[in-house]
Amino acid sequence: MFAVVKTGGKQYRVAEGDVIKVEKLDGEAGKSITLDEVLMVGDAKGIKVGEPLVKGAKVTAEVLEQKKDKKITVFKKKRRHNYRRKVGHRQEITVLRVTKIAGAAAKKAAAKKTEEAAAE
């Protein structure tokens, strides 16, 4: 089972047990957080795509640590003008382990209801 989650302006494809690095979220190490912006949920039977979000779908993750990412260097230069600027930046990130993906149960229940209606 997998899901596509939106957080920090980016989208991540996650499955249970995956470890991902996302932009800083509130929460201490060891705490559990819920990601509500689920764009798609899928399993072996098929996928469910939201419009834009899947209703009732949630991804629960455990915060492993809060840290800073590797340093990037921003260098600006204008040739022949003696203009040079060098700045470094380290983005704060949160490392998460996905523990549970909820939302496929509603899909299975809806499929059973349509099968029962077709049988009658």
Side-chain angles (χ1 to χ4, degrees), residues 66-109:
Q66 301 278 5
K67 66 179 191 174
K68 287 189 174 185
D69 207 3
K70 64 181 182 177
K71 180 179 258 187
I72 63 166
T73 304
V74 180
F75 185 74
K76 298 178 183 181
K77 178 182 178 183
K78 293 184 181 177
R79 65 182 189 155
R80 296 189 296 270
H81 290 282
N82 195 27
Y83 174 81
R84 290 181 292 276
R85 300 290 182 266
K86 183 177 177 182
V87 179
H89 175 73
R90 291 186 70 188
Q91 182 69 37
E92 292 186 347
I93 61 171
T94 303
V95 181
L96 301 174
R97 176 181 291 127
V98 178
T99 56
K100 183 179 177 186
I101 298 174
K107 177 182 169 190
K108 292 177 185 174

Side-chain angles (χ1 to χ4, degrees), residues 3-76:
V4 176
V5 178
K6 179 180 171 186
T7 181
K10 299 174 186 72
Q11 298 176 6
Y12 301 91
R13 182 186 188 273
V14 297
E16 289 185 16
D18 283 356
V19 176
I20 58 172
K21 296 178 187 177
V22 299
E23 294 210 11
K24 184 168 173 45
L25 298 172
D26 292 333
E28 300 173 8
K31 298 278 181 159
S32 180
I33 62 169
T34 303
L35 304 172
D36 295 329
E37 293 190 53
V38 179
L39 303 172
M40 183 172 79
V41 176
D43 58 5
K45 296 181 182 178
I47 62 172
K48 185 175 183 182
V49 180
E51 299 172 357
L53 303 176
V54 178
K55 294 187 192 254
K58 294 181 183 179
V59 174
T60 306
E62 176 189 357
V63 177
L64 297 180
E65 64 179 317
Q66 301 278 5
K67 66 179 191 174
K68 287 189 174 185
D69 207 3
K70 64 181 182 177
K71 180 179 258 187
I72 63 166
T73 304
V74 180
F75 185 74
K76 298 178 183 181

